[in-house]
Amino acid sequence: MNNAPSPQSSTREKIIEAAASLIPEVGWGGVTSRRVAERAGVNTGVIHYHMGSIGELRRIAAVGKIEMFFLDRIGDALAQEDPPVAVELMLRGLCSSDSRDPELLLLYESLVAANRDEQLRAEIATSLSRLRHWLHDWFAERGVTRPLPAAVTVTAAMDGFLLQRMLDPDLDPAPLIEGLTALVKHQLA
């Protein structure tokens, strides 16, 4: 059986990638059909064939990249069995890139745009909810006595730290890491 993507799905993915790469470069509102078409090497009509609107394309590109941003940075940490060690690795993974990293800029642009786009807000909220549930289950499996508060606190701390780091690129993650790992240690059964 051939698992190669169809030309249509390949073109669709190229369009989504082009939009995702443009968001950090030109801002949310600067992502236009013309710019996406130029970046993807397609005709603007192809964009509208694959996507209902430029707003839908921005949302799809942003939400997919935001999910991958968090999964890529915390997935390896959750291979650890010791929750405090995993929390430290998660936070260090989030802090390892430059505060002007395109993926971080995409996250920032998307969060600002979510204030004006209810559907984007809902999709990002759903993605963060999945992350909290995933962390909740992971903490529960490893004996954290109050896994929901731990998951909510860690998720909120990651978001808050990333936003603060945007404003202060030299922000030291060490106090946050120390506080969260102590919190999780205290919650172990």
Side-chain angles (χ1 to χ4, degrees):
M1 177 196 291
N2 185 358
N3 289 331
S6 71
Q8 282 189 341
S9 69
S10 175
T11 300
R12 186 176 195 280
E13 291 306 313
K14 223 168 39 170
I15 291 168
I16 292 169
E17 281 299 315
S21 71
L22 283 166
I23 292 170
E25 289 177 26
V26 299
W28 190 264
V31 177
T32 63
S33 296
R34 181 186 56 77
R35 281 185 167 151
V36 172
E38 287 172 4
R39 177 71 52 97
V42 298
N43 181 302
T44 56
V46 173
I47 292 170
H48 297 289
Y49 171 78
H50 287 279
M51 303 293 164
S53 67
I54 194 68
E56 179 183 354
L57 172 57
R58 288 182 198 130
R59 281 190 296 275
I60 289 168
V63 171
K65 286 293 183 179
I66 289 169
E67 285 184 356
M68 290 311 299
F69 173 82
F70 285 106
L71 291 176
D72 287 349
R73 284 164 177 79
I74 69 170
D76 289 341
L78 297 183
Q80 301 292 316
E81 285 301 315
D82 183 21
V85 170
V87 167
E88 179 175 352
L89 289 174
M90 271 186 253
L91 294 168
R92 290 202 186 282
L94 287 170
C95 303
S96 64
S97 58
D98 179 352
S99 66
R100 305 299 297 168
D101 178 280
E103 289 181 316
L104 282 173
L105 295 174
L106 180 138
L107 173 66
Y108 304 147
E109 285 287 330
S110 301
L111 292 176
V112 170
N115 285 319
R116 295 179 301 278
D117 182 330
E118 183 62 29
Q119 187 174 348
L120 176 62
R121 187 207 60 74
E123 289 177 19
I124 292 173
T126 297
S127 181
L128 290 173
S129 177
R130 280 194 300 267
L131 176 61
R132 283 190 302 273
H133 283 95
W134 186 34
L135 288 173
H136 167 273
D137 293 347
W138 187 87
F139 282 132
E141 290 167 4
R142 280 151 188 85
V144 173
T145 57
R146 299 185 64 214
L148 182 58
V152 169
T153 302
V154 168
T155 305
M158 288 188 298
D159 287 347
F161 181 81
L162 290 172
L163 289 173
Q164 288 182 39
R165 192 162 170 252
M166 173 187 65
L167 301 171
D168 180 3
D170 297 324
L171 183 61
D172 182 9
L176 176 64
I177 291 168
E178 180 183 337
L180 287 177
T181 56
L183 172 97
V184 171
K185 279 181 192 174
H186 182 71
Q187 295 291 321
L188 286 172

